[in-house]
Short mmCIF file of all heavy atoms in Angstrom, two decimals:
data_model
loop_
_atom_site.label_atom_id
_atom_site.label_comp_id
_atom_site.label_asym_id
_atom_site.label_seq_id
_atom_site.Cartn_x
_atom_site.Cartn_y
_atom_site.Cartn_z
N ASP P 135 0.82 -1.22 0.01
CA ASP P 135 -0.01 0.01 0.00
C ASP P 135 0.85 1.26 -0.01
O ASP P 135 0.32 2.38 -0.15
CB ASP P 135 -0.94 -0.01 1.18
CG ASP P 135 -0.22 0.00 2.54
OD1 ASP P 135 0.89 -0.58 2.63
OD2 ASP P 135 -0.75 0.60 3.49
N LYS P 136 2.17 1.13 0.12
CA LYS P 136 3.08 2.27 0.13
C LYS P 136 3.76 2.51 -1.23
O LYS P 136 4.61 3.36 -1.35
CB LYS P 136 4.13 2.17 1.25
CG LYS P 136 3.52 2.07 2.63
CD LYS P 136 2.66 3.31 2.94
CE LYS P 136 2.04 3.19 4.33
NZ LYS P 136 1.08 4.23 4.57
N ILE P 137 3.40 1.70 -2.21
CA ILE P 137 3.98 1.86 -3.56
C ILE P 137 3.52 3.29 -4.01
O ILE P 137 2.37 3.63 -3.92
CB ILE P 137 3.49 0.81 -4.54
CG1 ILE P 137 4.14 -0.57 -4.12
CG2 ILE P 137 3.86 1.16 -5.98
CD1 ILE P 137 3.62 -1.76 -4.92
N GLY P 138 4.48 4.06 -4.46
CA GLY P 138 4.21 5.45 -4.87
C GLY P 138 4.37 6.47 -3.74
O GLY P 138 4.35 7.66 -4.02
N ALA P 139 4.54 6.00 -2.51
CA ALA P 139 4.69 6.92 -1.40
C ALA P 139 6.14 7.40 -1.32
O ALA P 139 7.07 6.75 -1.80
CB ALA P 139 4.30 6.23 -0.05
N TYR P 140 6.35 8.54 -0.65
CA TYR P 140 7.65 9.10 -0.47
C TYR P 140 8.08 8.90 0.98
O TYR P 140 7.25 8.89 1.91
CB TYR P 140 7.65 10.60 -0.84
CG TYR P 140 7.44 10.79 -2.29
CD1 TYR P 140 6.14 10.90 -2.83
CD2 TYR P 140 8.52 10.88 -3.18
CE1 TYR P 140 5.92 11.07 -4.18
CE2 TYR P 140 8.32 11.06 -4.53
CZ TYR P 140 7.02 11.16 -5.03
OH TYR P 140 6.82 11.31 -6.37
N PRO P 141 9.39 8.82 1.24
CA PRO P 141 9.86 8.56 2.62
C PRO P 141 9.26 9.49 3.69
O PRO P 141 8.95 8.99 4.75
CB PRO P 141 11.40 8.69 2.52
CG PRO P 141 11.70 8.26 1.09
CD PRO P 141 10.52 8.78 0.29
N PRO P 142 9.13 10.79 3.45
CA PRO P 142 8.58 11.63 4.52
C PRO P 142 7.14 11.28 4.94
O PRO P 142 6.66 11.66 5.99
CB PRO P 142 8.63 13.06 3.95
CG PRO P 142 9.71 13.00 2.90
CD PRO P 142 9.61 11.62 2.35
N GLU P 143 6.46 10.49 4.08
CA GLU P 143 5.08 10.09 4.37
C GLU P 143 5.02 8.79 5.21
O GLU P 143 3.96 8.35 5.58
CB GLU P 143 4.33 9.84 3.04
CG GLU P 143 4.25 11.07 2.19
CD GLU P 143 3.76 10.75 0.74
OE1 GLU P 143 3.59 9.56 0.40
OE2 GLU P 143 3.59 11.72 0.00
N LEU P 144 6.19 8.23 5.49
CA LEU P 144 6.28 6.93 6.23
C LEU P 144 6.66 7.09 7.68
O LEU P 144 7.37 8.03 8.06
CB LEU P 144 7.29 6.04 5.52
CG LEU P 144 7.11 5.77 4.03
CD1 LEU P 144 8.26 4.95 3.52
CD2 LEU P 144 5.78 5.13 3.75
N SER P 145 6.29 6.14 8.48
CA SER P 145 6.76 6.08 9.87
C SER P 145 8.25 5.62 9.87
O SER P 145 8.74 5.17 8.85
CB SER P 145 5.92 5.05 10.68
OG SER P 145 6.21 3.73 10.25
N GLY P 146 8.87 5.74 11.05
CA GLY P 146 10.27 5.29 11.14
C GLY P 146 10.42 3.83 10.81
O GLY P 146 11.35 3.43 10.11
N GLY P 147 9.52 2.97 11.32
CA GLY P 147 9.60 1.53 11.01
C GLY P 147 9.43 1.25 9.55
O GLY P 147 10.06 0.37 8.99
N GLN P 148 8.51 2.00 8.89
CA GLN P 148 8.29 1.79 7.47
C GLN P 148 9.52 2.23 6.65
O GLN P 148 9.92 1.57 5.71
CB GLN P 148 7.05 2.54 7.02
CG GLN P 148 5.75 1.96 7.56
CD GLN P 148 4.57 2.89 7.32
OE1 GLN P 148 4.67 4.11 7.24
NE2 GLN P 148 3.39 2.26 7.22
N GLN P 149 10.12 3.38 7.07
CA GLN P 149 11.31 3.83 6.37
C GLN P 149 12.44 2.79 6.54
O GLN P 149 13.18 2.53 5.59
CB GLN P 149 11.77 5.19 6.91
CG GLN P 149 10.87 6.33 6.52
CD GLN P 149 11.38 7.64 6.99
OE1 GLN P 149 12.57 7.98 6.79
NE2 GLN P 149 10.55 8.43 7.65
N GLN P 150 12.54 2.19 7.71
CA GLN P 150 13.60 1.17 7.92
C GLN P 150 13.33 -0.05 7.05
O GLN P 150 14.28 -0.63 6.53
CB GLN P 150 13.71 0.82 9.39
CG GLN P 150 14.91 0.00 9.76
CD GLN P 150 16.23 0.73 9.49
OE1 GLN P 150 16.59 1.04 8.39
NE2 GLN P 150 16.97 0.96 10.57
N ARG P 151 12.06 -0.42 6.89
CA ARG P 151 11.77 -1.56 6.02
C ARG P 151 12.13 -1.26 4.55
O ARG P 151 12.65 -2.11 3.86
CB ARG P 151 10.29 -1.96 6.10
CG ARG P 151 9.99 -2.77 7.36
CD ARG P 151 8.60 -3.32 7.32
NE ARG P 151 7.70 -2.31 7.91
CZ ARG P 151 6.38 -2.40 7.85
NH1 ARG P 151 5.78 -3.38 7.22
NH2 ARG P 151 5.64 -1.46 8.40
N VAL P 152 11.94 -0.03 4.12
CA VAL P 152 12.34 0.39 2.77
C VAL P 152 13.87 0.34 2.67
O VAL P 152 14.41 -0.16 1.70
CB VAL P 152 11.82 1.83 2.44
CG1 VAL P 152 12.44 2.33 1.15
CG2 VAL P 152 10.30 1.79 2.32
N ALA P 153 14.58 0.78 3.72
CA ALA P 153 16.03 0.76 3.73
C ALA P 153 16.54 -0.70 3.67
O ALA P 153 17.52 -0.99 2.98
CB ALA P 153 16.59 1.46 4.95
N ILE P 154 15.88 -1.62 4.40
CA ILE P 154 16.25 -3.04 4.34
C ILE P 154 15.99 -3.62 2.95
O ILE P 154 16.80 -4.34 2.44
CB ILE P 154 15.52 -3.83 5.45
CG1 ILE P 154 16.07 -3.36 6.81
CG2 ILE P 154 15.70 -5.30 5.25
CD1 ILE P 154 15.22 -3.85 7.98
N ALA P 155 14.87 -3.28 2.38
CA ALA P 155 14.53 -3.77 1.02
C ALA P 155 15.59 -3.26 0.04
O ALA P 155 16.04 -4.02 -0.82
CB ALA P 155 13.12 -3.30 0.62
N ARG P 156 16.03 -2.04 0.18
CA ARG P 156 17.08 -1.49 -0.70
C ARG P 156 18.38 -2.28 -0.51
O ARG P 156 19.06 -2.59 -1.50
CB ARG P 156 17.30 0.02 -0.38
CG ARG P 156 18.39 0.62 -1.31
CD ARG P 156 18.70 2.06 -0.91
NE ARG P 156 19.06 2.13 0.51
CZ ARG P 156 19.01 3.22 1.25
NH1 ARG P 156 18.57 4.35 0.73
NH2 ARG P 156 19.37 3.22 2.50
N ALA P 157 18.68 -2.62 0.71
CA ALA P 157 19.93 -3.38 0.99
C ALA P 157 19.83 -4.80 0.44
O ALA P 157 20.88 -5.42 0.14
CB ALA P 157 20.20 -3.45 2.48
N MET P 158 18.62 -5.32 0.24
CA MET P 158 18.44 -6.72 -0.17
C MET P 158 18.10 -6.90 -1.61
O MET P 158 18.15 -8.02 -2.12
CB MET P 158 17.39 -7.39 0.70
CG MET P 158 17.69 -7.37 2.16
SD MET P 158 16.45 -8.23 3.08
CE MET P 158 17.22 -9.84 3.13
N VAL P 159 17.71 -5.83 -2.28
CA VAL P 159 17.12 -5.95 -3.63
C VAL P 159 18.03 -6.68 -4.63
O VAL P 159 17.59 -7.35 -5.52
CB VAL P 159 16.65 -4.58 -4.19
CG1 VAL P 159 17.88 -3.69 -4.54
CG2 VAL P 159 15.72 -4.72 -5.35
N HIS P 160 19.35 -6.50 -4.44
CA HIS P 160 20.32 -7.12 -5.37
C HIS P 160 20.84 -8.48 -4.86
O HIS P 160 21.79 -9.01 -5.40
CB HIS P 160 21.44 -6.15 -5.71
CG HIS P 160 22.25 -5.71 -4.53
ND1 HIS P 160 21.73 -4.97 -3.48
CD2 HIS P 160 23.53 -5.84 -4.24
CE1 HIS P 160 22.67 -4.70 -2.62
NE2 HIS P 160 23.80 -5.23 -3.01
N THR P 161 20.21 -9.00 -3.83
CA THR P 161 20.52 -10.31 -3.20
C THR P 161 22.05 -10.41 -2.94
O THR P 161 22.74 -11.26 -3.46
CB THR P 161 20.09 -11.46 -4.09
OG1 THR P 161 18.77 -11.17 -4.60
CG2 THR P 161 19.97 -12.76 -3.27
N PRO P 162 22.54 -9.52 -2.07
CA PRO P 162 23.97 -9.60 -1.75
C PRO P 162 24.27 -10.81 -0.86
O PRO P 162 23.35 -11.39 -0.24
CB PRO P 162 24.19 -8.29 -0.94
CG PRO P 162 22.86 -8.02 -0.31
CD PRO P 162 21.85 -8.50 -1.28
N SER P 163 25.53 -11.15 -0.73
CA SER P 163 25.91 -12.22 0.14
C SER P 163 26.10 -11.78 1.59
O SER P 163 26.07 -12.58 2.51
CB SER P 163 27.17 -12.93 -0.35
OG SER P 163 28.22 -11.99 -0.45
N LEU P 164 26.26 -10.44 1.79
CA LEU P 164 26.48 -9.88 3.09
C LEU P 164 25.69 -8.60 3.24
O LEU P 164 25.68 -7.75 2.33
CB LEU P 164 27.97 -9.54 3.29
CG LEU P 164 28.39 -8.76 4.51
CD1 LEU P 164 28.12 -9.51 5.80
CD2 LEU P 164 29.87 -8.33 4.41
N ILE P 165 24.99 -8.46 4.37
CA ILE P 165 24.33 -7.19 4.71
C ILE P 165 24.88 -6.71 6.03
O ILE P 165 25.01 -7.50 7.00
CB ILE P 165 22.81 -7.34 4.80
CG1 ILE P 165 22.24 -7.69 3.45
CG2 ILE P 165 22.17 -6.07 5.34
CD1 ILE P 165 20.72 -7.86 3.40
N VAL P 166 25.28 -5.46 6.13
CA VAL P 166 25.76 -4.86 7.34
C VAL P 166 24.74 -3.79 7.77
O VAL P 166 24.28 -3.01 6.94
CB VAL P 166 27.17 -4.28 7.22
CG1 VAL P 166 28.20 -5.36 7.06
CG2 VAL P 166 27.29 -3.27 6.10
N CYS P 167 24.34 -3.84 9.04
CA CYS P 167 23.37 -2.94 9.60
C CYS P 167 23.97 -2.16 10.76
O CYS P 167 24.47 -2.78 11.71
CB CYS P 167 22.15 -3.66 10.14
SG CYS P 167 21.31 -4.70 8.92
#
């Protein structure tokens, strides 16, 4: 339901989920948080 939304429109938890999705989108072998 957030497709098309911009980061300022999201809660902190939602922004963090977007950040995690960005870190995972290319299926890396290592993620650092």
Side-chain angles (χ1 to χ4, degrees):
D135 62 328
K136 299 302 179 188
I137 291 172
Y140 293 88
E143 301 169 353
L144 306 176
S145 70
Q148 290 169 332
Q149 288 184 51
Q150 192 63 296
R151 282 189 273 168
V152 171
I154 291 167
R156 180 186 56 201
M158 300 184 91
V159 72
H160 60 297
T161 319
S163 57
L164 170 66
I165 294 179
V166 292
C167 301

